[in-house]
Amino acid sequence: MYKNRDGFPISCLSFALTSHCNMYCKHCYNNSGTCNDVPDEMTPQRWIEFSKYIVAHGGVMECLLSGGEPFLIGDALFEIMDILHNDGTLFLLATNGYLLTEEKARKLSKYEYHWVQVSIDSISPQYHDSFRNLKGSWEKAVCASKAVASNGMPLKIVHCVTPYNIDDIDEMCEFAYSMGAACIIVGEVCMSGRAAKNRDLFLTSEQKEVLHYKFEENFSKYKGRMIVKTSHTVRSGLEKHYMHPKSKAVIRSNGDVRLDDMAPFVVGNILKEDFSEIWRSKIETSWKNKKIRRYITDFDSEDKNYSIINYMDDNIFIS
């Protein structure tokens, strides 16, 4: 099926389909929803054309569809998925769940997934709604989660642990399991995007120990029934990607090609350059750039690279 030329098929591409979001979450790693009144340069039609381009050049094995909130682009989401699905692509879909109705879940069930991710930050509707800055968002996320699971898709719940909900981990794991989740991630906030303005959301050293203990405890409790994971540190994630530079890339809603979601490095723009040329000539070599290596090796686990705030400060362009 795949043509296997110029580095294709690509292992994984991440499509940040829009910068717009119907929520304004306190910890949003890419600062989504800040400029909802500004049109995205990558319009739905451009995403459709880019998906056709990817297929024509050899395809992508896995595609992560996210935003902002991906359902805000309407039926174009399904058109994009159809194009890639017909070429054999496996999907990862990340949503806040607000717009994921039972009807949409049925439409989504035709595709193949690694997982469909819904974020739920508490067993308490009040806490979740406050954290997400949208009343009623907890109820919508729960309904979406149940719709995903009941329609045969692998549901992954992402539960963001902060000092305000750290005592809820056991109940949250039980709740995720009761909804039919195949996996739950219990992880802390990353220093990226809007989290930089809400540093009270970061765990203390003692709270990190509690998180690790609760993760281990629930990992054992649900083994064989539900996968329990905790998020990798930003540094460990970047180190892994550094060792496998052509494992993925991120396409942003303005056309920028980023090396990784958790680092501010841009290597090109698909609205100005041919993507296959960017992929062939820039992706692997860019990871050897001194700026990137220094960003990783000098990463301060306490400061979390506060001096360079991903998705808040200017991008760092790598030529």
Side-chain angles (χ1 to χ4, degrees):
M1 180 185 298
Y2 293 112
K3 298 176 177 63
N4 195 23
R5 57 185 170 84
D6 293 333
F8 287 79
I10 296 170
S11 296
C12 183
L13 283 178
S14 176
F15 290 4
L17 294 171
T18 178
S19 63
H20 301 168
C21 193
N22 49 352
M23 298 185 189
Y24 196 76
C25 306
K26 294 178 180 180
H27 69 308
C28 183
Y29 81 94
N30 61 2
N31 203 24
S32 297
T34 302
C35 300
N36 283 340
D37 57 338
V38 178
D40 290 314
E41 292 177 67
M42 283 294 291
T43 62
Q45 187 57 41
R46 281 176 169 163
W47 279 114
I48 290 168
E49 293 304 317
F50 182 65
S51 298
K52 293 177 181 177
Y53 170 97
I54 290 295
V55 169
H57 282 75
V60 56
M61 295 179 183
E62 288 189 348
C63 184
L64 168 58
L65 301 170
S66 65
E69 173 49 48
F71 282 99
L72 287 176
I73 71 168
D75 288 340
L77 175 63
F78 299 102
E79 292 187 56
I80 292 164
M81 295 181 77
D82 281 340
I83 293 165
L84 298 175
H85 169 74
N86 291 337
D87 194 53
T89 299
L90 185 74
F91 293 104
L92 307 93
L93 175 62
T95 174
N96 59 39
Y98 199 88
L99 300 173
L100 207 178
T101 61
E102 174 67 31
E103 179 184 2
K104 288 177 182 174
R106 287 196 296 269
K107 289 181 69 174
L108 288 170
S109 66
K110 67 181 270 191
Y111 307 112
E112 298 295 325
Y113 297 93
H114 189 62
W115 44 253
V116 177
Q117 173 183 306
V118 181
S119 299
I120 301 180
D121 299 301
S122 179
I123 55 171
S124 162
Q126 292 75 25
Y127 175 82
H128 177 97
D129 289 1
S130 174
F131 193 65
R132 298 275 164 179
N133 275 306
L134 183 63
K135 189 174 181 180
S137 58
W138 183 88
E139 183 178 0
K140 293 282 190 180
V142 170
C143 289
S145 299
K146 292 178 179 178
V148 168
S150 66
N151 280 278
M153 292 172 281
L155 170 65
K156 180 169 81 172
I157 298 296
V158 172
H159 176 62
C160 190
V161 180
T162 72
Y164 306 106
N165 67 355
I166 194 165
D167 295 329
D168 295 344
I169 295 174
D170 290 342
E171 290 176 286
M172 191 64 222
C173 288
E174 183 178 350
F175 186 48
Y177 181 71
S178 73
M179 291 190 294
C183 175
I184 182 171
I185 306 286
V186 287
E188 58 182 304
V189 172
C190 291
M191 175 58 81
S192 179
R194 233 169 358 255
K197 295 182 176 180
N198 295 288
R199 301 193 78 179
D200 61 304
L201 299 177
F202 292 100
L203 302 180
T204 65
S205 297
E206 293 77 13
Q207 289 166 337
K208 289 179 182 181
E209 291 180 7
V210 172
L211 170 59
H212 180 73
Y213 173 77
K214 287 296 182 182
F215 156 67
E216 294 282 356
E217 188 177 57
N218 283 283
F219 176 84
S220 298
K221 179 179 178 180
Y222 292 97
K223 190 173 183 179
R225 297 184 294 158
M226 178 179 70
I227 298 170
V228 179
K229 293 184 177 180
T230 190
S231 54
H232 296 293
T233 64
V234 172
R235 179 171 180 170
S236 65
L238 291 174
E239 285 281 10
K240 183 178 179 180
H241 198 171
Y242 176 81
M243 296 300 294
H244 304 280
K246 280 200 169 183
S247 58
K248 73 171 185 177
V250 182
I251 315 298
R252 299 289 295 160
S253 58
N254 65 351
D256 279 350
V257 180
R258 278 191 175 228
L259 292 177
D260 191 277
D261 275 321
M262 290 293 110
F265 302 106
V266 175
V267 295
N269 186 293
I270 64 171
L271 296 175
K272 301 173 184 177
E273 306 163 73
D274 181 78
F275 175 73
S276 63
E277 179 62 23
I278 296 172
W279 182 260
R280 184 187 63 80
S281 65
K282 292 185 178 180
I283 296 294
E284 187 167 10
T285 56
S286 293
W287 278 100
K288 299 175 183 178
N289 187 282
K290 291 180 179 179
K291 290 181 182 178
I292 296 176
R293 192 63 197 153
R294 188 163 56 247
Y295 184 86
I296 298 173
T297 57
D298 293 353
F299 197 94
D300 187 320
S301 60
E302 294 302 321
D303 180 65
K304 297 181 174 62
N305 277 18
Y306 189 74
S307 57
I308 305 176
I309 305 172
N310 192 30
Y311 294 115
M312 291 288 283
D313 293 343
D314 291 336
N315 294 320
I316 299 173
F317 292 91
I318 305 295
S319 58

